[in-house]
Structures are given as structure tokens and as C-alpha cells.
Amino acid sequence: PLSPDSQSAGVISSPWLRFSWKTSGIGALPAVGGDLIRHATREEGEEVLRVILLSLSMDSAWNDSLAAAEQYLKAEVARIFNGEDPLCLVLPKGNRLIAVSLLDPTPEAASHLVGGPAVLMEYRNRGLGTRLLHASLTELGGRGVSVASGITRARTGS
């Protein structure tokens, strides 16, 4: 159910991939103790940006486009967190965020998964990204997005 339809975003040799998911019919994930995915507070915008950028900077597939991604993400975090109803899901561990998913619920948005799911490197391979993606798609579906999309670099680990 969480398998995306992927396609190259541009010409065949493009380093970018567009993914899309139908938000209806996403089954429930089994509960996992200790993982509390919640909405970010307006005050957590800078921390959300830090988590996204740190997760990208630790993935070598982003090296050649990290500066452009950083500029884009700074603008998107500012736009979303300064908006009327910022939509961002976070997964805290203690008093710090370890995974985030910055979302745009506008049905016609070019990318609904604006930043993330992004998981800090030391917390990867534990299913947190899958859980955050599931929660993100469920949230977007609840806000009227029938097909959610995202764009990422080809051959990335995140």
C-alpha cells in the first residue's frame, strides 16, 4: 500500500524522481511503542529545517545539489510555518526532533511532500521513515489530497 508509482521528473537521464501515492485505501500500520508522531508547533520551524538539512547533508547523493536544496527548503519552511495552518509532522526523541515531514496540502501543489520524510542518519533503518510517510499520506488524504506526490534525487538513501 505504501509503494509509490515512480517516474523520472524530466528526461531519462534526470537525477530527479517524482513519486506519487493514492491516499485512499492506505491501511493502518501496526502500533510501535515509543514513536509519537505529532504536528509540529509553529515555534519548531527552525528545528524542522535543521533536521531536513542535516539528513540531506549526510547523504552523498545530495552533495552536488545541497546548496540549491537548502535555498528551496529555507523558503518553503518559512512559507509553511508563516502560513495560517502550518502542516508538518515530527517524530521527537526526548527533547529533540529526529524525523520530520514538511507537507503542502494544496491539491494542486507540485510536491505535497515538501521536505521529507527526513530522518536523521543515526535513526535510519528502523522503520521511522515508513511510519512518517504513512502518517503524512494519511494527513494529506484527510485534507483532500487524493494523489500525493514528492520529488527526490535518484539513488538516495532517504
Side-chain angles (χ1 to χ4, degrees):
L2 286 181
S3 298
D5 300 322
S6 67
Q7 50 189 282
S8 181
V11 295
I12 293 173
S13 63
S14 173
W16 301 100
L17 293 176
R18 174 178 296 281
F19 292 93
S20 60
W21 294 264
K22 292 180 183 171
T23 58
S24 64
I26 295 175
L29 283 178
V32 176
D35 291 342
L36 173 65
I37 296 173
R38 61 171 176 79
H39 286 91
T41 65
R42 192 172 298 279
E43 295 75 25
E44 289 176 312
E46 287 184 26
E47 181 70 4
V48 165
L49 178 63
R50 187 191 71 73
V51 170
I52 295 171
L53 293 177
L54 190 54
S55 73
L56 294 179
S57 71
M58 298 303 289
D59 191 332
S60 62
W62 285 92
N63 285 351
D64 65 340
S65 58
L66 189 58
E70 181 175 357
Q71 182 178 0
Y72 167 77
L73 289 164
K74 282 181 178 179
E76 287 300 287
V77 167
R79 178 181 69 83
I80 289 171
F81 276 87
N82 288 323
E84 188 173 311
D85 184 21
L87 183 55
C88 181
L89 300 178
V90 298
L91 202 158
K93 179 142 183 110
N95 61 358
R96 74 180 195 137
L97 302 180
I98 61 168
V100 303
S101 188
L102 185 64
L103 306 169
D104 185 342
T106 310
E108 64 276 1
S111 179
H112 301 99
L113 297 164
V114 177
V119 180
L120 293 178
M121 188 64 77
E122 62 267 31
Y123 292 97
R124 290 187 184 170
N125 301 315
R126 300 178 189 188
L128 301 177
T130 299
R131 292 181 45 73
L132 196 53
L133 175 61
H134 184 274
S136 298
L137 296 175
T138 300
E139 183 74 31
L140 288 166
R143 296 198 182 209
V145 176
S146 59
V147 177
S149 66
I151 299 172
T152 190
R153 296 279 300 179
R155 298 178 298 279
T156 58
S158 55

mmCIF file of all heavy atoms in Angstrom, residues 67-108:
data_model
loop_
_atom_site.group_PDB
_atom_site.id
_atom_site.type_symbol
_atom_site.label_atom_id
_atom_site.label_comp_id
_atom_site.label_asym_id
_atom_site.label_seq_id
_atom_site.Cartn_x
_atom_site.Cartn_y
_atom_site.Cartn_z
ATOM 1 N N ALA A 67 23.229 22.871 -1.952
ATOM 2 C CA ALA A 67 23.058 24.323 -1.822
ATOM 3 C C ALA A 67 21.714 24.770 -2.400
ATOM 4 O O ALA A 67 21.005 25.571 -1.792
ATOM 5 C CB ALA A 67 24.207 25.060 -2.511
ATOM 6 N N ALA A 68 21.342 24.237 -3.555
ATOM 7 C CA ALA A 68 20.049 24.585 -4.155
ATOM 8 C C ALA A 68 18.901 24.064 -3.302
ATOM 9 O O ALA A 68 17.902 24.756 -3.107
ATOM 10 C CB ALA A 68 19.960 24.032 -5.573
ATOM 11 N N ALA A 69 19.048 22.849 -2.793
ATOM 12 C CA ALA A 69 18.009 22.270 -1.934
ATOM 13 C C ALA A 69 17.858 23.096 -0.667
ATOM 14 O O ALA A 69 16.736 23.349 -0.214
ATOM 15 C CB ALA A 69 18.346 20.817 -1.595
ATOM 16 N N GLU A 70 18.958 23.540 -0.089
ATOM 17 C CA GLU A 70 18.912 24.340 1.136
ATOM 18 C C GLU A 70 18.169 25.651 0.900
ATOM 19 O O GLU A 70 17.311 26.038 1.706
ATOM 20 C CB GLU A 70 20.321 24.619 1.644
ATOM 21 C CG GLU A 70 20.336 25.420 2.919
ATOM 22 C CD GLU A 70 21.734 25.601 3.500
ATOM 23 O OE1 GLU A 70 22.706 25.055 2.955
ATOM 24 O OE2 GLU A 70 21.843 26.302 4.520
ATOM 25 N N GLN A 71 18.469 26.311 -0.208
ATOM 26 C CA GLN A 71 17.794 27.575 -0.530
ATOM 27 C C GLN A 71 16.289 27.342 -0.682
ATOM 28 O O GLN A 71 15.475 28.079 -0.126
ATOM 29 C CB GLN A 71 18.385 28.155 -1.806
ATOM 30 C CG GLN A 71 17.798 29.479 -2.208
ATOM 31 C CD GLN A 71 18.456 30.027 -3.469
ATOM 32 O OE1 GLN A 71 19.346 29.424 -4.053
ATOM 33 N NE2 GLN A 71 18.000 31.185 -3.885
ATOM 34 N N TYR A 72 15.920 26.305 -1.414
ATOM 35 C CA TYR A 72 14.499 25.974 -1.617
ATOM 36 C C TYR A 72 13.826 25.639 -0.288
ATOM 37 O O TYR A 72 12.736 26.138 0.016
ATOM 38 C CB TYR A 72 14.397 24.793 -2.592
ATOM 39 C CG TYR A 72 13.022 24.170 -2.642
ATOM 40 C CD1 TYR A 72 11.985 24.771 -3.333
ATOM 41 C CD2 TYR A 72 12.763 22.970 -1.983
ATOM 42 C CE1 TYR A 72 10.721 24.205 -3.382
ATOM 43 C CE2 TYR A 72 11.500 22.396 -2.023
ATOM 44 C CZ TYR A 72 10.488 23.014 -2.719
ATOM 45 O OH TYR A 72 9.236 22.448 -2.754
ATOM 46 N N LEU A 73 14.455 24.803 0.522
ATOM 47 C CA LEU A 73 13.850 24.359 1.781
ATOM 48 C C LEU A 73 13.708 25.493 2.791
ATOM 49 O O LEU A 73 12.713 25.556 3.519
ATOM 50 C CB LEU A 73 14.638 23.194 2.362
ATOM 51 C CG LEU A 73 14.475 21.892 1.568
ATOM 52 C CD1 LEU A 73 15.552 20.893 1.942
ATOM 53 C CD2 LEU A 73 13.082 21.313 1.770
ATOM 54 N N LYS A 74 14.668 26.391 2.842
ATOM 55 C CA LYS A 74 14.545 27.550 3.728
ATOM 56 C C LYS A 74 13.312 28.366 3.368
ATOM 57 O O LYS A 74 12.550 28.779 4.241
ATOM 58 C CB LYS A 74 15.797 28.432 3.650
ATOM 59 C CG LYS A 74 16.973 27.909 4.424
ATOM 60 C CD LYS A 74 18.164 28.851 4.315
ATOM 61 C CE LYS A 74 19.331 28.346 5.132
ATOM 62 N NZ LYS A 74 20.502 29.244 5.013
ATOM 63 N N ALA A 75 13.122 28.586 2.074
ATOM 64 C CA ALA A 75 11.962 29.356 1.622
ATOM 65 C C ALA A 75 10.656 28.616 1.922
ATOM 66 O O ALA A 75 9.673 29.223 2.366
ATOM 67 C CB ALA A 75 12.075 29.654 0.128
ATOM 68 N N GLU A 76 10.637 27.303 1.727
ATOM 69 C CA GLU A 76 9.419 26.520 1.960
ATOM 70 C C GLU A 76 9.081 26.419 3.448
ATOM 71 O O GLU A 76 7.912 26.502 3.828
ATOM 72 C CB GLU A 76 9.545 25.129 1.340
ATOM 73 C CG GLU A 76 9.459 25.142 -0.176
ATOM 74 C CD GLU A 76 8.130 25.702 -0.664
ATOM 75 O OE1 GLU A 76 7.102 25.002 -0.539
ATOM 76 O OE2 GLU A 76 8.119 26.845 -1.160
ATOM 77 N N VAL A 77 10.089 26.244 4.287
ATOM 78 C CA VAL A 77 9.839 26.213 5.735
ATOM 79 C C VAL A 77 9.271 27.554 6.175
ATOM 80 O O VAL A 77 8.287 27.608 6.915
ATOM 81 C CB VAL A 77 11.114 25.841 6.527
ATOM 82 C CG1 VAL A 77 10.937 26.123 8.012
ATOM 83 C CG2 VAL A 77 11.467 24.373 6.304
ATOM 84 N N ALA A 78 9.850 28.647 5.690
ATOM 85 C CA ALA A 78 9.340 29.977 6.042
ATOM 86 C C ALA A 78 7.906 30.144 5.546
ATOM 87 O O ALA A 78 7.036 30.606 6.295
ATOM 88 C CB ALA A 78 10.237 31.061 5.454
ATOM 89 N N ARG A 79 7.627 29.747 4.324
ATOM 90 C CA ARG A 79 6.275 29.876 3.762
ATOM 91 C C ARG A 79 5.268 29.059 4.566
ATOM 92 O O ARG A 79 4.220 29.560 4.958
ATOM 93 C CB ARG A 79 6.268 29.413 2.301
ATOM 94 C CG ARG A 79 4.879 29.472 1.650
ATOM 95 C CD ARG A 79 4.919 28.971 0.210
ATOM 96 N NE ARG A 79 5.169 27.550 0.094
ATOM 97 C CZ ARG A 79 4.227 26.605 0.200
ATOM 98 N NH1 ARG A 79 2.974 26.926 0.421
ATOM 99 N NH2 ARG A 79 4.553 25.331 0.052
ATOM 100 N N ILE A 80 5.603 27.819 4.844
ATOM 101 C CA ILE A 80 4.650 26.933 5.518
ATOM 102 C C ILE A 80 4.476 27.316 6.983
ATOM 103 O O ILE A 80 3.359 27.369 7.489
ATOM 104 C CB ILE A 80 5.068 25.467 5.327
ATOM 105 C CG1 ILE A 80 4.830 25.077 3.855
ATOM 106 C CG2 ILE A 80 4.309 24.544 6.274
ATOM 107 C CD1 ILE A 80 5.379 23.745 3.444
ATOM 108 N N PHE A 81 5.562 27.618 7.677
ATOM 109 C CA PHE A 81 5.443 27.949 9.099
ATOM 110 C C PHE A 81 4.903 29.357 9.344
ATOM 111 O O PHE A 81 4.436 29.653 10.432
ATOM 112 C CB PHE A 81 6.764 27.723 9.835
ATOM 113 C CG PHE A 81 6.939 26.302 10.266
ATOM 114 C CD1 PHE A 81 7.488 25.365 9.418
ATOM 115 C CD2 PHE A 81 6.522 25.879 11.522
ATOM 116 C CE1 PHE A 81 7.626 24.038 9.797
ATOM 117 C CE2 PHE A 81 6.652 24.554 11.923
ATOM 118 C CZ PHE A 81 7.198 23.633 11.053
ATOM 119 N N ASN A 82 4.954 30.223 8.339
ATOM 120 C CA ASN A 82 4.352 31.541 8.465
ATOM 121 C C ASN A 82 2.918 31.557 7.959
ATOM 122 O O ASN A 82 2.240 32.574 8.072
ATOM 123 C CB ASN A 82 5.178 32.598 7.721
ATOM 124 C CG ASN A 82 6.477 32.890 8.444
ATOM 125 O OD1 ASN A 82 6.520 32.915 9.667
ATOM 126 N ND2 ASN A 82 7.543 33.094 7.681
ATOM 127 N N GLY A 83 2.460 30.439 7.413
ATOM 128 C CA GLY A 83 1.095 30.342 6.909
ATOM 129 C C GLY A 83 0.096 30.215 8.047
ATOM 130 O O GLY A 83 0.452 30.068 9.222
ATOM 131 N N GLU A 84 -1.168 30.228 7.667
ATOM 132 C CA GLU A 84 -2.245 30.178 8.655
ATOM 133 C C GLU A 84 -2.293 28.845 9.398
ATOM 134 O O GLU A 84 -2.528 28.790 10.591
ATOM 135 C CB GLU A 84 -3.578 30.429 7.944
ATOM 136 C CG GLU A 84 -4.737 30.593 8.898
ATOM 137 C CD GLU A 84 -5.989 31.017 8.160
ATOM 138 O OE1 GLU A 84 -5.906 31.971 7.365
ATOM 139 O OE2 GLU A 84 -7.016 30.382 8.401
ATOM 140 N N ASP A 85 -2.074 27.751 8.680
ATOM 141 C CA ASP A 85 -2.173 26.424 9.281
ATOM 142 C C ASP A 85 -0.977 25.583 8.834
ATOM 143 O O ASP A 85 -1.078 24.776 7.915
ATOM 144 C CB ASP A 85 -3.490 25.766 8.848
ATOM 145 C CG ASP A 85 -3.730 24.418 9.504
ATOM 146 O OD1 ASP A 85 -3.124 24.146 10.552
ATOM 147 O OD2 ASP A 85 -4.534 23.638 8.950
ATOM 148 N N PRO A 86 0.204 25.782 9.457
ATOM 149 C CA PRO A 86 1.395 25.043 9.007
ATOM 150 C C PRO A 86 1.192 23.544 9.186
ATOM 151 O O PRO A 86 0.669 23.092 10.200
ATOM 152 C CB PRO A 86 2.513 25.569 9.895
ATOM 153 C CG PRO A 86 1.844 26.191 11.063
ATOM 154 C CD PRO A 86 0.474 26.606 10.619
ATOM 155 N N LEU A 87 1.584 22.787 8.163
ATOM 156 C CA LEU A 87 1.429 21.338 8.221
ATOM 157 C C LEU A 87 2.799 20.675 8.171
ATOM 158 O O LEU A 87 3.470 20.672 7.132
ATOM 159 C CB LEU A 87 0.544 20.838 7.079
ATOM 160 C CG LEU A 87 0.251 19.341 7.061
ATOM 161 C CD1 LEU A 87 -0.347 18.871 8.383
ATOM 162 C CD2 LEU A 87 -0.683 19.001 5.906
ATOM 163 N N CYS A 88 3.194 20.146 9.296
ATOM 164 C CA CYS A 88 4.465 19.447 9.407
ATOM 165 C C CYS A 88 4.312 18.399 10.501
ATOM 166 O O CYS A 88 3.861 18.704 11.605
ATOM 167 C CB CYS A 88 5.583 20.424 9.755
ATOM 168 S SG CYS A 88 7.204 19.631 9.882
ATOM 169 N N LEU A 89 4.679 17.167 10.192
ATOM 170 C CA LEU A 89 4.659 16.098 11.184
ATOM 171 C C LEU A 89 6.080 15.880 11.682
ATOM 172 O O LEU A 89 7.039 15.955 10.908
ATOM 173 C CB LEU A 89 4.104 14.810 10.572
ATOM 174 C CG LEU A 89 2.684 14.900 10.028
ATOM 175 C CD1 LEU A 89 2.268 13.571 9.393
ATOM 176 C CD2 LEU A 89 1.705 15.307 11.107
ATOM 177 N N VAL A 90 6.206 15.629 12.963
ATOM 178 C CA VAL A 90 7.524 15.424 13.557
ATOM 179 C C VAL A 90 7.507 14.190 14.440
ATOM 180 O O VAL A 90 6.472 13.787 14.950
ATOM 181 C CB VAL A 90 7.982 16.652 14.381
ATOM 182 C CG1 VAL A 90 8.119 17.881 13.492
ATOM 183 C CG2 VAL A 90 7.032 16.941 15.533
ATOM 184 N N LEU A 91 8.685 13.613 14.588
ATOM 185 C CA LEU A 91 8.860 12.486 15.494
ATOM 186 C C LEU A 91 9.976 12.870 16.469
ATOM 187 O O LEU A 91 11.135 12.965 16.072
ATOM 188 C CB LEU A 91 9.241 11.232 14.701
ATOM 189 C CG LEU A 91 8.964 9.904 15.375
ATOM 190 C CD1 LEU A 91 8.878 8.808 14.349
ATOM 191 C CD2 LEU A 91 9.934 9.577 16.441
ATOM 192 N N PRO A 92 9.617 13.150 17.711
ATOM 193 C CA PRO A 92 10.636 13.537 18.697
ATOM 194 C C PRO A 92 11.224 12.320 19.414
ATOM 195 O O PRO A 92 10.604 11.256 19.487
ATOM 196 C CB PRO A 92 9.849 14.404 19.676
ATOM 197 C CG PRO A 92 8.449 13.882 19.596
ATOM 198 C CD PRO A 92 8.259 13.340 18.211
ATOM 199 N N LYS A 93 12.415 12.492 19.911
ATOM 200 C CA LYS A 93 13.041 11.525 20.823
ATOM 201 C C LYS A 93 13.594 12.376 21.958
ATOM 202 O O LYS A 93 14.519 13.155 21.757
ATOM 203 C CB LYS A 93 14.137 10.735 20.141
ATOM 204 C CG LYS A 93 14.813 9.753 21.082
ATOM 205 C CD LYS A 93 15.136 8.483 20.362
ATOM 206 C CE LYS A 93 15.743 7.485 21.301
ATOM 207 N NZ LYS A 93 14.874 6.380 21.566
ATOM 208 N N GLY A 94 12.998 12.224 23.112
ATOM 209 C CA GLY A 94 13.362 13.120 24.204
ATOM 210 C C GLY A 94 12.931 14.523 23.846
ATOM 211 O O GLY A 94 11.805 14.751 23.412
ATOM 212 N N ASN A 95 13.870 15.473 23.960
ATOM 213 C CA ASN A 95 13.522 16.863 23.666
ATOM 214 C C ASN A 95 14.040 17.339 22.313
ATOM 215 O O ASN A 95 14.118 18.532 22.065
ATOM 216 C CB ASN A 95 14.018 17.781 24.786
ATOM 217 C CG ASN A 95 15.520 17.725 24.948
ATOM 218 O OD1 ASN A 95 16.199 16.974 24.262
ATOM 219 N ND2 ASN A 95 16.049 18.521 25.861
ATOM 220 N N ARG A 96 14.394 16.406 21.424
ATOM 221 C CA ARG A 96 14.847 16.813 20.096
ATOM 222 C C ARG A 96 14.076 16.062 19.022
ATOM 223 O O ARG A 96 13.547 14.972 19.252
ATOM 224 C CB ARG A 96 16.344 16.616 19.920
ATOM 225 C CG ARG A 96 16.783 15.194 19.762
ATOM 226 C CD ARG A 96 18.295 15.127 19.602
ATOM 227 N NE ARG A 96 18.697 13.827 19.104
ATOM 228 C CZ ARG A 96 19.599 13.625 18.178
ATOM 229 N NH1 ARG A 96 20.243 14.633 17.649
ATOM 230 N NH2 ARG A 96 19.899 12.414 17.780
ATOM 231 N N LEU A 97 14.018 16.669 17.850
ATOM 232 C CA LEU A 97 13.344 16.044 16.718
ATOM 233 C C LEU A 97 14.338 15.156 15.984
ATOM 234 O O LEU A 97 15.467 15.562 15.720
ATOM 235 C CB LEU A 97 12.792 17.106 15.767
ATOM 236 C CG LEU A 97 11.804 18.105 16.361
ATOM 237 C CD1 LEU A 97 11.334 19.092 15.295
ATOM 238 C CD2 LEU A 97 10.624 17.390 16.995
ATOM 239 N N ILE A 98 13.894 13.931 15.640
ATOM 240 C CA ILE A 98 14.778 13.007 14.922
ATOM 241 C C ILE A 98 14.268 12.712 13.512
ATOM 242 O O ILE A 98 15.003 12.157 12.694
ATOM 243 C CB ILE A 98 14.986 11.690 15.694
ATOM 244 C CG1 ILE A 98 13.672 10.948 15.889
ATOM 245 C CG2 ILE A 98 15.673 11.969 17.031
ATOM 246 C CD1 ILE A 98 13.842 9.512 16.381
ATOM 247 N N ALA A 99 13.009 13.076 13.244
ATOM 248 C CA ALA A 99 12.445 12.870 11.912
ATOM 249 C C ALA A 99 11.320 13.876 11.702
ATOM 250 O O ALA A 99 10.596 14.197 12.644
ATOM 251 C CB ALA A 99 11.925 11.442 11.774
ATOM 252 N N VAL A 100 11.202 14.363 10.473
ATOM 253 C CA VAL A 100 10.180 15.364 10.154
ATOM 254 C C VAL A 100 9.633 15.112 8.752
ATOM 255 O O VAL A 100 10.282 14.480 7.922
ATOM 256 C CB VAL A 100 10.737 16.809 10.236
ATOM 257 C CG1 VAL A 100 11.321 17.111 11.606
ATOM 258 C CG2 VAL A 100 11.772 17.057 9.161
ATOM 259 N N SER A 101 8.445 15.630 8.519
ATOM 260 C CA SER A 101 7.842 15.581 7.190
ATOM 261 C C SER A 101 7.071 16.877 6.981
ATOM 262 O O SER A 101 6.028 17.097 7.593
ATOM 263 C CB SER A 101 6.915 14.365 7.072
ATOM 264 O OG SER A 101 6.471 14.213 5.747
ATOM 265 N N LEU A 102 7.607 17.748 6.144
ATOM 266 C CA LEU A 102 7.019 19.045 5.835
ATOM 267 C C LEU A 102 6.070 18.866 4.657
ATOM 268 O O LEU A 102 6.475 18.351 3.608
ATOM 269 C CB LEU A 102 8.125 20.044 5.495
ATOM 270 C CG LEU A 102 7.732 21.483 5.255
ATOM 271 C CD1 LEU A 102 7.143 22.103 6.515
ATOM 272 C CD2 LEU A 102 8.943 22.277 4.783
ATOM 273 N N LEU A 103 4.810 19.253 4.831
ATOM 274 C CA LEU A 103 3.772 18.935 3.860
ATOM 275 C C LEU A 103 3.079 20.181 3.313
ATOM 276 O O LEU A 103 2.921 21.171 4.029
ATOM 277 C CB LEU A 103 2.719 18.036 4.515
ATOM 278 C CG LEU A 103 3.256 16.768 5.170
ATOM 279 C CD1 LEU A 103 2.176 16.099 6.005
ATOM 280 C CD2 LEU A 103 3.803 15.825 4.131
ATOM 281 N N ASP A 104 2.634 20.085 2.067
ATOM 282 C CA ASP A 104 1.804 21.117 1.449
ATOM 283 C C ASP A 104 0.494 20.453 1.043
ATOM 284 O O ASP A 104 0.461 19.660 0.102
ATOM 285 C CB ASP A 104 2.492 21.717 0.226
ATOM 286 C CG ASP A 104 1.724 22.886 -0.372
ATOM 287 O OD1 ASP A 104 0.515 23.037 -0.075
ATOM 288 O OD2 ASP A 104 2.325 23.645 -1.148
ATOM 289 N N PRO A 105 -0.612 20.754 1.756
ATOM 290 C CA PRO A 105 -1.878 20.088 1.466
ATOM 291 C C PRO A 105 -2.677 20.694 0.315
ATOM 292 O O PRO A 105 -3.790 20.254 0.043
ATOM 293 C CB PRO A 105 -2.643 20.244 2.785
ATOM 294 C CG PRO A 105 -2.166 21.550 3.316
ATOM 295 C CD PRO A 105 -0.704 21.624 2.923
ATOM 296 N N THR A 106 -2.105 21.667 -0.377
ATOM 297 C CA THR A 106 -2.790 22.257 -1.520
ATOM 298 C C THR A 106 -2.876 21.198 -2.619
ATOM 299 O O THR A 106 -1.841 20.711 -3.075
ATOM 300 C CB THR A 106 -2.021 23.484 -2.041
ATOM 301 O OG1 THR A 106 -1.727 24.360 -0.956
ATOM 302 C CG2 THR A 106 -2.802 24.216 -3.117
ATOM 303 N N PRO A 107 -4.102 20.811 -3.035
ATOM 304 C CA PRO A 107 -4.227 19.724 -4.013
ATOM 305 C C PRO A 107 -3.396 19.919 -5.282
ATOM 306 O O PRO A 107 -2.840 18.965 -5.809
ATOM 307 C CB PRO A 107 -5.731 19.698 -4.332
ATOM 308 C CG PRO A 107 -6.367 20.207 -3.088
ATOM 309 C CD PRO A 107 -5.416 21.281 -2.575
ATOM 310 N N GLU A 108 -3.268 21.158 -5.757
ATOM 311 C CA GLU A 108 -2.524 21.397 -6.999
ATOM 312 C C GLU A 108 -1.026 21.645 -6.785
ATOM 313 O O GLU A 108 -0.307 21.982 -7.721
ATOM 314 C CB GLU A 108 -3.147 22.571 -7.770
ATOM 315 C CG GLU A 108 -3.082 23.906 -7.067
ATOM 316 C CD GLU A 108 -4.208 24.145 -6.057
ATOM 317 O OE1 GLU A 108 -5.060 23.274 -5.852
ATOM 318 O OE2 GLU A 108 -4.213 25.219 -5.448
#
